[in-house]
Amino acid sequence: MRAVRTVTGPRWTVVRMPRPVPAPEEVLVRVRAAGLNRADVLMRDDTYVPDDAGWSVATDRVGFEFSGEVVESTGEWSAGDAVLGQAGGTCAEFVTVDHRLLLRRPAGWSWTEAAAAPSALLTEYDALMHVGGFRPGETVLVTGATSAVGLVAVGLASYLGAGRVVGTTRRRERAASVLAAGADDVLVGPPLRAEYTGTGFDVVLDHVGGATLTAVIPLVRPGGRVVQIGRLGGGTALLDLEILARHRLSLIGTTFRGRRLPELANLIDALRPHLSEFPRRPLIDSVFSLEEIEDAYERLASPELFGKVVITVDH
Ligand SMILES: NC(=O)c1ccc[n+]([C@@H]2O[C@H](COP(=O)([O-])OP(=O)(O)OC[C@H]3O[C@@H](n4cnc5c(N)ncnc54)[C@H](OP(=O)(O)O)[C@@H]3O)[C@@H](O)[C@H]2O)c1
């Protein structure tokens, strides 16, 4: 089969390799599209720290998420089922994945939309519901709301019954997209306007870190939870520990690295009933073929990126 590999350079190149053979609990999927992520860029730049995750990650392969058709089935799946999910090396004609980690493609979604969804949906659902302990009616602040994961976070919080959802962006011209994703209000900054100080948010989903994390701590209400997901704005932050203590805030980091298969399977089971109901499809920035993978990388690294970069795979 054709698959994308990182070769010395470091360049992403389409190579030929044997089609994977599914293990007893695995399904063989014919990939139709694969979503690209920051982690692919980090791997290419050798700054990704892989570990023994619940799903296999080959550091010289590209792609963490996919949509496609079941070819060889096991468990609840049948040949021909349209599915999506996470796996290692999804920029390829075929992937194998444990049957418990697959989701059914929602009716009406294209292969491209389905491939853009798994990573962001699982990350944000887990961050909001499990890590952040969100309850319907609570207020949610999403930093970096125009990032691919941020837009999904805004939509999920709104869909799951948040009392108020607010997103941050540095660019006023992108505020309308954050509102369209489901937000009630947008904070443009830095500096972030301070009108939420005192009233505060119950949950913050932070994708930016750095000075943005510093700025949001005073905006969290007593007993609130700050979930640290991404560090687009920097991996270190000054924190007002006086506020943290006085307001009894929880600051919790999260990542999928190191998660084991049973935990991922439970998370996917929890998300499963929501996927067909979730009203918002992922925002697609651009679509490339497998052979255009280097162009896709350029786009992924562009500051103008807005939404997901997706690779389509023809057979
Ligand atoms: N993709 C995933 O599934 C996933 C999973 C777990 C964690 N993460 C992490 O979540 C973060 C977002 O990932 P993504 O792939 O969704 O990102 P993305 O789409 O590439 O994010 C681009 C957005 O990030 C904002 N941004 C970029 N640099 C910034 C900075 N220095 N300060 C503030 N905002 C900045 C920009 O928003 P404005 O210009 O509008 O301000 C831009 O629209 C990353 O740190 C990633 O590692 C992603």
Side-chain angles (χ1 to χ4, degrees):
M1 69 170 187
R2 292 172 299 143
V4 178
R5 207 166 224 171
T6 301
V7 294
T8 46
R11 283 179 62 83
W12 287 344
T13 308
V14 179
V15 298
R16 291 214 160 259
M17 62 174 62
R19 184 195 280 202
V21 177
E25 294 293 319
E26 288 184 336
V27 171
L28 178 69
V29 177
R30 179 183 291 111
V31 176
R32 291 295 182 182
L36 292 182
N37 285 291
R38 295 280 109 210
D40 291 302
V41 175
L42 297 180
M43 260 192 196
R44 173 172 159 140
D45 297 345
D46 266 347
T47 48
Y48 185 82
V49 185
D51 62 8
D52 181 18
W55 36 280
S56 61
V57 180
T59 51
D60 64 342
R61 295 281 303 279
V62 179
F64 286 98
E65 55 187 342
F66 67 92
S67 64
E69 296 148 324
V70 171
V71 180
E72 286 176 29
S73 62
T74 185
E76 63 279 40
W77 303 102
S78 307
D81 282 347
V83 292
L84 53 124
Q86 288 186 308
T90 58
C91 287
E93 288 184 288
F94 295 91
V95 292
T96 53
V97 57
D98 189 284
H99 67 96
R100 289 162 287 184
L101 302 185
L102 285 174
L103 288 157
R104 202 169 291 281
R105 181 177 66 158
W109 285 34
S110 67
W111 291 122
T112 300
E113 289 166 336
S119 181
L121 271 176
L122 287 164
T123 297
E124 299 303 330
Y125 184 82
D126 182 59
L128 185 64
M129 300 300 290
H130 299 153
V131 186
F134 167 81
R135 291 178 295 272
E138 290 191 317
T139 54
V140 178
L141 176 67
V142 177
T143 71
T146 63
S147 66
V149 290
L151 288 165
V152 169
V154 164
L156 264 180
S158 164
Y159 159 78
L160 292 167
R164 188 167 182 78
V165 184
V166 179
T168 75
T169 172
R170 296 167 303 172
R171 295 184 242 198
R172 189 164 299 282
E173 67 274 18
R174 290 190 172 177
S177 301
V178 178
L179 294 173
D184 301 291
D185 195 6
V186 181
L187 294 178
V188 180
L192 296 175
R193 300 191 319 261
E195 65 252 40
Y196 289 97
T197 310
T199 55
F201 293 95
D202 295 294
V203 181
V204 177
L205 300 177
D206 176 39
H207 305 98
V208 179
T212 298
L213 179 56
T214 307
V216 300
I217 293 295
L219 308 186
V220 186
R221 75 187 322 158
R225 291 84 70 199
V226 179
V227 185
Q228 216 303 302
I229 302 162
R231 289 154 298 282
L232 289 162
T236 57
L238 277 174
L239 295 183
D240 188 328
L241 299 178
E242 183 61 32
I243 296 181
L244 203 76
R246 196 157 21 92
H247 288 179
R248 305 180 309 283
L249 306 185
S250 303
L251 172 60
I252 319 157
T254 187
T255 176
F256 273 117
R257 272 171 278 177
R259 304 274 185 112
R260 297 286 173 254
L261 199 140
E263 189 185 355
L264 291 173
N266 285 340
L267 169 60
I268 285 165
D269 278 344
L271 178 65
R272 215 180 284 287
H274 296 294
L275 188 56
S276 55
E277 306 286 319
F278 185 53
R280 297 174 200 283
R281 302 178 190 197
L283 179 70
I284 307 297
D285 174 272
S286 44
V287 181
F288 298 89
S289 69
L290 208 56
E291 283 67 28
E292 294 169 323
I293 190 72
E294 274 294 311
D295 299 326
Y297 170 76
E298 295 295 327
R299 185 61 196 170
L300 205 55
S302 162
E304 295 314 311
L305 177 74
F306 194 17
K308 292 287 293 190
V309 175
V310 178
I311 303 299
T312 54
V313 183
D314 40 82
H315 291 263

